[in-house]
Amino acid sequence: MTTKIQSALISVYYKDGLETIVKQLHTLGVKLYSTGGTQKFIEQLHIPVTPVETLTTYPSILGGRVKTLHPAVFGGILGRRDNETDVQEMTQFNIPEIDLVIVDLYPFEETLAGTNEEKTIIEKIDIGGVSLIRAAAKNYNDVVIVASTKQYMAIENVITEKAGATSLEDRKQFAAWAFEVCAYYDIAISNYFNRDQPIQILNQSPKQSLRYGENPHQNATFYGDLHKTFTQLHGKEISYNNLVDIDAAIQLIREFDEISFAIIKHTNVCGASSRPALHQAWKDALSGDPESAFGGVLVCNGVIDKATAESISQIFFEVLIAQGFSADALHLLKGKKNRILLQCHADLMAPASMIKTVLNGVLVQDTDTVNYADWKEVGAKETSDSEKSDLNFANILCKHLKSNAIALVKNKQLIGKGCGQTSRIDSLRHAIEKAKQFDFSLQGAVMASDAFFPFNDCVKMGHAEGITAFIQPGGSVRDNDSIEYCKENNLAMVLTGVRHFRH
């Protein structure tokens, strides 16, 4: 069913882009109703507009909190044109039909981002706007609702190409967009009042279509605002796989206070070190596994200088993330057009929760931000200062490896790692093999495990290679097997009480 727009109610917070629509509606002879600032805006265009107060017989009251909440307004929106009783009642109470509603909402999220003053924030919770949007969207059979500037182009097309006539399909699409606007707005408000248990939503705005998903035959979209996380200084469009690895890289690097560099491949850390100088941190991170570093995502918590940039440029990498870049370093790194260079925001916070789709629903869990519940020395000897430092470093790295995970560390450098194996002993075998592949001595190294040792086989194998200290959460019914082996062989062991499975 096609209907022609003959009257419109316009009341918006932002006037950008509105002038063209108002002029087009006026050209079509559409009767305009409006309120407050929008009414003044239309009058300044020398276009006739009827104040809503002439319908309600009430001025805007309570500091602007009540303007359009009146049967004369909502009756004109909700009245069903094909319902004889509705039509009779609208005639009886002199309620004019309203065919188009253009309304946006108070900028609640923008206000929240700019102030902590509760009074100001509360005043930006829209009441009338949401009510008008929902009313018009509910009655899509007769009414067109434009609830966001994002739909301005679509309504302009209707006005110009169809001379203000809309099909039922048009109106239903505008209604769908409107309910999405309301849902997102209400969730933002709900999350303000429920900060400890915010509602997680997928369809956030803005959204970005990606070239493809994990594989070229899969479509993919990113929902969120990447600009709040980093600034892209150079390079090709960021892909789905890039984003997954970038997230893993940023989650890891935020764990370190010392100057650190890490290399990520398929979300696993394959090289990492902490050093007094960034250039040395890079070189030692790379030397841990230069083979796996090829095509990886590089991340550091410092500013890239020219010397470091020159070293980095000797290998092929997908993404480099840093707190900043010197001018000459940035110029050098831009020498390859596809390199993605990202400047990460220093105040970036870890997300409060993580989401994963499973079966016909989603799993939501708290982000793993706890490294230790305890530091319980249970071995034959107390860990030395250097062992403590290395164990802490290894425990963090292990937390960011896929389970089953083992990290071997020496002098705050990752020298071997095993991850994603179906048995813990296989992860250790892989870690030892990696260390030997690149000529690292395991004498005096330490070992971290993301979960408890179910048997003492990992401790025995590590000891045979020269490892002197172990860190693990504990919790196995056979913890004592590993602890006793350490005591019998003068080895150190720390129990943290916190498991770090990662699937």
Side-chain angles (χ1 to χ4, degrees):
M1 181 179 66
T2 299
T3 62
K4 190 173 178 65
I5 298 171
Q6 300 185 66
S7 60
L9 170 61
I10 307 175
S11 180
V12 297
Y13 190 89
Y14 294 113
K15 313 301 186 292
D16 300 340
L18 185 63
E19 180 176 343
T20 301
I21 295 173
V22 169
K23 288 180 176 179
Q24 289 171 337
L25 291 171
H26 176 60
T27 300
L28 292 176
V30 174
K31 183 176 180 61
L32 303 181
Y33 298 93
S34 192
T35 64
T38 308
Q39 177 189 329
K40 291 178 183 178
F41 175 83
I42 296 172
E43 289 171 343
Q44 288 169 359
L45 297 176
H46 305 292
I47 292 175
V49 57
T50 301
V52 166
E53 289 91 330
T54 63
L55 300 179
T56 65
T57 69
Y58 278 90
S60 173
I61 62 174
L62 305 181
R65 284 188 166 197
V66 179
K67 287 179 285 192
T68 58
L69 296 169
H70 193 281
V73 175
F74 280 86
I77 296 170
L78 286 165
R80 293 161 291 187
R81 284 32 164 194
D82 60 353
N83 184 293
E84 186 177 343
T85 302
D86 284 8
V87 173
Q88 289 176 353
E89 289 180 347
M90 291 175 71
T91 302
Q92 177 185 353
F93 294 106
N94 197 28
I95 298 173
E97 294 179 352
I98 297 175
D99 306 314
L100 169 65
V101 176
I102 301 177
V103 176
D104 64 7
L105 301 173
Y106 289 163
F108 179 80
E109 286 186 290
E110 293 89 334
T111 303
L112 190 59
T115 182
N116 292 321
E117 185 182 358
E118 186 172 50
K119 182 179 179 181
T120 301
I121 293 168
I122 296 302
E123 286 306 313
K124 287 298 182 286
I125 297 177
D126 206 317
I127 304 300
V130 173
S131 301
L132 290 168
I133 291 171
R134 291 179 65 86
K138 177 177 180 177
N139 199 23
Y140 67 85
N141 196 60
D142 300 302
V143 180
V144 185
I145 173 61
V146 178
S148 167
T149 56
K150 293 178 181 178
Q151 282 96 57
Y152 278 8
M153 183 175 293
I155 194 62
E156 282 184 41
N157 291 338
V158 167
I159 296 169
T160 57
E161 295 177 11
K162 300 182 179 181
T166 63
S167 67
L168 181 62
E169 184 180 1
D170 291 333
R171 297 190 296 276
K172 198 167 187 177
Q173 178 60 74
F174 278 105
W177 288 331
F179 282 121
E180 183 178 344
V181 168
C182 289
Y184 183 78
Y185 191 77
D186 286 342
I187 287 172
I189 296 170
S190 173
N191 287 348
Y192 171 72
F193 286 97
N194 298 283
R195 298 176 212 188
D196 293 336
Q197 293 182 311
I199 298 170
Q200 301 295 328
I201 54 174
L202 174 63
N203 195 14
Q204 296 185 47
S205 179
K207 62 182 179 181
Q208 176 182 334
S209 295
L210 305 175
R211 284 176 289 161
Y212 52 80
E214 202 160 8
N215 299 292
H217 63 278
Q218 295 171 271
N219 294 323
T221 304
F222 173 76
Y223 294 89
D225 189 353
L226 293 175
H227 298 294
K228 292 182 179 180
T229 304
F230 54 71
T231 300
Q232 183 169 355
L233 304 177
H234 183 70
K236 62 185 179 181
E237 180 184 345
I238 297 174
S239 71
Y240 178 99
N241 289 332
N242 289 153
L243 283 173
V244 172
D245 281 342
I246 289 167
D247 176 67
I250 291 174
Q251 301 307 328
L252 170 63
I253 204 67
R254 65 155 48 99
E255 299 259 20
F256 297 108
D257 296 323
E258 298 176 86
I259 295 172
S260 302
F261 226 115
I263 303 166
I264 305 296
K265 200 73 175 290
H266 299 297
T267 74
N268 289 301
V269 54
C270 59
S273 76
S274 291
R275 294 290 181 263
L278 190 66
H279 190 191
Q280 191 61 50
W282 158 248
K283 290 194 291 187
D284 289 345
L286 177 63
S287 67
D289 189 348
E291 187 175 73
S292 295
F294 181 85
V297 170
L298 320 179
V299 63
C300 69
N301 56 5
V303 176
I304 303 291
D305 56 22
K306 186 179 180 182
T308 306
E310 288 173 339
S311 292
I312 292 172
S313 291
Q314 295 174 21
I315 73 162
F316 167 70
F317 63 89
E318 285 276 335
V319 183
L320 171 58
I321 310 164
Q323 292 294 324
F325 299 81
S326 69
D328 48 2
L330 189 59
H331 177 75
L332 188 155
L333 290 165
K334 285 183 175 180
K336 296 289 179 69
K337 67 177 183 178
N338 286 333
R339 285 175 174 167
I340 297 171
L341 306 178
L342 305 178
Q343 183 168 331
C344 189
H345 299 171
D347 59 349
L348 183 65
M349 300 295 291
S353 55
M354 303 171 67
I355 303 172
K356 179 183 288 189
T357 59
V358 293
L359 303 174
N360 63 342
V362 295
L363 290 172
V364 181
Q365 67 171 350
D366 296 340
T367 299
D368 184 5
T369 57
V370 178
N371 290 329
Y372 311 99
D374 197 2
W375 183 281
K376 189 176 181 180
E377 303 263 2
V378 295
K381 60 173 185 174
E382 192 87 2
T383 51
S384 66
D385 289 344
S386 63
E387 284 175 332
K388 281 185 172 70
S389 180
D390 279 351
L391 287 170
N392 179 62
F393 187 84
N395 188 59
I396 290 172
L397 295 180
C398 210
K399 174 182 169 183
H400 293 270
L401 290 167
K402 290 293 174 78
S403 301
N404 289 301
I406 294 288
L408 305 180
V409 166
K410 190 174 182 179
N411 299 325
K412 286 188 284 190
Q413 178 186 20
L414 179 64
I415 60 174
K417 60 94 178 65
C419 55
Q421 302 301 307
T422 52
S423 71
R424 195 158 301 281
I425 194 72
D426 279 345
S427 288
L428 178 55
R429 290 189 184 103
H430 184 67
I432 292 170
E433 180 184 337
K434 274 291 183 181
K436 290 181 176 180
Q437 180 183 353
F438 300 110
D439 299 321
F440 286 105
S441 169
L442 289 170
Q443 294 295 322
V446 306
M447 178 197 300
S449 174
D450 66 333
F452 61 65
F453 294 123
F455 309 102
N456 64 7
D457 50 358
C458 286
V459 177
K460 284 183 177 180
M461 183 178 290
H463 177 221
E465 297 294 339
I467 292 169
T468 58
F470 303 83
I471 188 167
Q472 54 132 334
S476 169
V477 293
R478 300 184 63 173
D479 271 350
N480 209 45
D481 292 0
S482 296
I483 292 171
E484 285 303 313
Y485 184 88
C486 288
K487 289 180 176 179
E488 292 166 5
N489 292 276
N490 198 34
L491 303 172
M493 176 172 281
V494 173
L495 302 183
T496 67
V498 176
R499 190 181 71 186
H500 293 296
F501 272 167
R502 195 176 187 87
H503 295 106

